[in-house]
């Protein structure tokens, strides 16, 4: 398990550009990386606000017709479709065609740990996409209707579970495509 955590940490450190921010000796490169991280953070807040307003509008509209629970169902469907598309189109490069595949295979790490780390990378990315949609929708739903305390626990569990099925189906499609192409 230690190998899996280390591989996931190394992957996301490289992908997110934290090494440039922390270890860069060039002040211009460091400043540009910090500015890019700041702009990315502002963009995330803007998208979060957009999804929240969209969810609140849906809750107001459908609250009159069928109930505000439709917000959660629609956002789960949106998150599932986003995760499926992400896994089908991006999963192939994460699972089978990594740029450092030869380097990873030469490490003294069991092959199973390498595969589990790749699946964990894909799951964490899908979890991030799901959180982007489900957290604002849950906040909008909680503000528009009366919720029980168990809603927060179920929202958290749902956030962790929603990416699993689309990821499995997308991985199966990727394995079939890779098997037919290879």
């Amino acid at each position: 398990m230690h190998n899996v955590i280390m591989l996931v940490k190394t992957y996301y450190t490289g992908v997110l550009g934290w090494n440039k921010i922390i270890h860069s000796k060039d002040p211009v490169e460091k400043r540009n990386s910090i500015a890019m991280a700041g702009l990315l953070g502002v963009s995330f807040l803007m998208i979060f606000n957009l999804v929240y307003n969209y969810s609140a509008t849906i809750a107001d509209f459908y609250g009159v017709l069928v109930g505000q629970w439709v917000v959660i169902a629609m956002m789960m469907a949106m998150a599932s479709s986003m995760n499926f598309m992400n896994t089908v189109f991006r999963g192939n490069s994460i699972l089978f065609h990594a740029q450092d595949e030869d380097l990873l295979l030469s490490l003294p790490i069991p092959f199973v740990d390498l595969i589990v780390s790749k699946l964990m990378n894909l799951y964490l990315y899908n979890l991030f996409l799901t959180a982007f949609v489900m957290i604002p929708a849950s906040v909008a739903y909680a503000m528009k209707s009366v919720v029980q305390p168990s809603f927060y626990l179920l929202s958290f569990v749902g956030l962790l579970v929603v990416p699993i099925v689309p990821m499995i189906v997308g991985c199966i499609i990727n394995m079939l495509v890779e098997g037919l192409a290879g």
Side-chain angles (χ1 to χ4, degrees):
M1 187 64 174
H2 176 70
N3 291 337
V4 172
I5 293 171
M6 196 57 111
L7 285 169
V8 169
K9 179 183 166 192
T10 304
Y11 176 78
Y12 278 107
T13 301
V15 166
L16 297 175
W18 292 339
N19 279 339
K20 286 183 182 177
I21 293 173
I22 295 170
H23 301 294
S24 178
K25 303 291 184 205
D26 184 17
V28 173
E29 184 180 29
K30 191 174 219 172
R31 186 176 56 240
N32 289 343
S33 297
I34 292 171
M36 186 59 73
L39 287 174
L40 197 59
V42 170
S43 299
F44 288 157
L45 290 175
M46 289 172 59
I47 293 171
F48 187 89
N49 185 35
L50 178 74
V51 173
Y52 170 77
N53 287 330
Y54 178 69
S55 300
T57 304
I58 290 173
D60 288 340
F61 179 72
Y62 284 113
V64 176
L65 299 175
V66 291
Q68 294 169 341
W69 59 269
V70 174
V71 172
I72 300 296
M74 287 178 71
M75 292 301 151
M76 269 190 192
M78 182 189 290
S80 293
S81 62
M82 284 175 29
N83 289 333
F84 176 73
M85 295 304 245
N86 175 57
T87 303
V88 167
F89 292 116
R90 190 167 186 268
N92 196 12
S93 64
I94 291 175
L95 296 174
F96 302 114
H97 299 290
Q99 294 174 350
D100 56 352
E101 193 76 41
D102 53 345
L103 181 67
L104 289 174
L105 289 173
S106 68
L107 291 173
I109 295 174
F111 185 69
V112 173
D113 288 353
L114 183 64
I115 296 299
V116 169
S117 74
K118 287 176 176 260
L119 289 173
M120 192 64 131
N121 290 337
L122 191 59
Y123 174 75
L124 288 174
Y125 188 72
N126 284 339
L127 185 66
F128 176 73
L129 290 176
T130 303
F132 238 82
V133 173
M134 291 299 298
I135 290 174
S138 297
V139 170
Y141 177 76
M143 293 181 82
K144 297 288 182 180
S145 63
V146 179
V147 296
Q148 301 296 322
S150 62
F151 168 77
Y152 300 106
L153 176 66
L154 291 174
S155 292
F156 180 72
V157 170
L159 179 70
L160 296 177
V161 172
V162 164
I164 293 174
V165 173
M167 189 179 99
I168 290 172
V169 173
C171 285
I172 290 170
I173 290 172
N174 274 328
M175 287 188 324
L176 290 173
V177 168
E178 191 66 28
L180 292 174

